[in-house]
Amino acid sequence: MTGSGGQRRVPKAFLESLKVPLPPLAEQRRIAAILDNANALRAKRREAIAKLDQLLQCVFIDMFGDPVTNPKGLSELSLGELVSSTKIGLVRSANEFGEDFDIPYVRMDAVSADGKFLPDKVKKTSASESEMSDYALEPGDFLFNTRNSKELVGKTCVYNGPPGWTFNNNLMRIRFKEGVASSVIAMQFQFGRVKRELEKRKSGTTSVYAVYWRELQSLPLLLPPASQQQKFAAIKAKIEAHRRALQRHGTQFDDLFAGVRQRAFAGTL
């Protein structure tokens, strides 16, 4: 709420809900200013993370051109021509995964709509040695969400967790032939050209849609020279490392902000 002169006050109802006395107006303004400044820093960190995503797309276009128009005349191949193997993940019921198990189990909610792997969403399951020999993930594996709602089916990411994790049957693990960088392929799934092609390949009911390999393998993709792919992959790795650092710091800052807010309304700030 705002007092005279446009200056903010701490909401009275909020203070009363905390069972603390209402401080003088000057103290309310001081608390509000501290919290406003802290929240502005949080917003700037979120903005910095968003700009890193924009930067990666700009790097891709600068190196390879817009995938829609292919101005650099890169080779165009189908996804099926680039792939060495595919694998649908392990089936597990709801009571077969959770924190009581020991094998990290990547499900479709660990793949974001904008192409990121979200390790904090990963649950755990159990798996035999033979299952792990077939279904273990390796860094650089390309994950494709085969079944979901119409809007979310076809989500993708490059797995960047450690070896020895496994994955759910709503995901397909795709490994590429030598000379094909998964990061370059994954980036193309964030552009309109591939998204439109995916839309043509979706089929399903009102609530559940799927993209099957028999349709997906004809998806057209650009293949830059191997040396350029490696260069892009190195740049992407640096940008993602910086993003992860910002996210870690952001989590720490959120915890600090919560502590400051608690102290402010307890009258100890």
Side-chain angles (χ1 to χ4, degrees), residues 5-230:
Q7 292 179 304
R8 296 188 63 203
R9 299 182 188 180
V10 178
K12 181 178 179 181
F14 179 71
L15 287 171
E16 290 176 345
S17 72
L18 296 175
K19 309 296 185 184
V20 297
L22 184 66
L25 179 58
E27 181 65 7
Q28 292 184 51
R29 289 171 176 164
R30 185 180 77 88
I31 293 171
I34 291 172
L35 295 178
D36 281 350
N37 289 336
N39 206 37
L41 290 173
R42 295 166 76 206
K44 287 180 179 178
R45 191 174 297 278
R46 289 193 295 269
E47 182 181 348
I49 292 172
K51 287 187 180 298
L52 287 177
D53 294 334
Q54 297 171 14
L55 173 61
L56 189 58
Q57 288 206 355
C58 289
V59 168
F60 186 95
I61 291 174
D62 181 64
M63 291 183 65
F64 309 126
D66 188 337
V68 175
T69 57
N70 191 16
K72 300 196 176 186
L74 300 176
S75 299
E76 182 177 299
L77 296 91
S78 68
L79 178 61
E81 294 177 278
L82 305 175
V83 168
S84 63
S85 70
T86 65
K87 188 77 172 177
I88 297 294
L90 285 169
V91 178
R92 291 290 185 267
S93 60
N95 62 356
E96 292 180 296
F97 63 85
E99 293 308 310
D100 294 334
F101 297 94
D102 57 350
I103 304 294
Y105 182 57
V106 179
R107 300 176 301 152
M108 61 186 180
D109 62 343
V111 180
S112 75
D114 59 350
K116 297 182 185 63
F117 173 60
L118 307 174
D120 58 313
K121 299 287 187 181
V122 174
K123 302 296 184 182
K124 293 182 179 180
T125 191
S126 60
S128 66
E129 287 188 18
S130 62
E131 284 177 325
M132 290 307 298
S133 68
D134 288 336
Y135 296 96
L137 290 170
E138 297 176 359
D141 282 344
F142 183 66
L143 297 178
F144 182 90
N145 183 194
T146 58
R147 289 184 296 177
N148 208 322
S149 65
K150 186 176 183 181
E151 296 76 20
L152 295 177
V153 68
K155 294 187 299 178
T156 63
C157 74
V158 176
Y159 174 73
N160 57 16
W165 292 18
T166 190
F167 60 108
N168 174 264
N169 63 305
N170 289 316
L171 296 174
M172 179 190 296
R173 183 191 68 196
I174 297 177
R175 291 177 175 166
F176 296 105
K177 296 177 180 177
E178 187 175 351
V180 181
S182 55
S183 58
V184 173
I185 302 303
M187 193 69 222
Q188 294 182 57
F189 279 76
Q190 301 307 310
F191 286 92
R193 178 177 187 257
V194 169
K195 288 182 177 181
R196 286 190 292 273
E197 290 291 337
L198 273 178
E199 283 296 318
K200 300 175 187 177
R201 292 162 169 78
K202 294 179 182 181
S203 60
T205 63
T206 303
S207 58
V208 180
Y209 271 72
V211 179
Y212 298 103
W213 176 246
R214 61 177 178 267
E215 286 83 26
L216 184 61
Q217 62 184 322
S218 64
L219 193 79
L221 294 162
L222 302 181
L223 187 66
S227 60
Q228 289 295 96
Q229 291 186 60
Q230 292 167 7

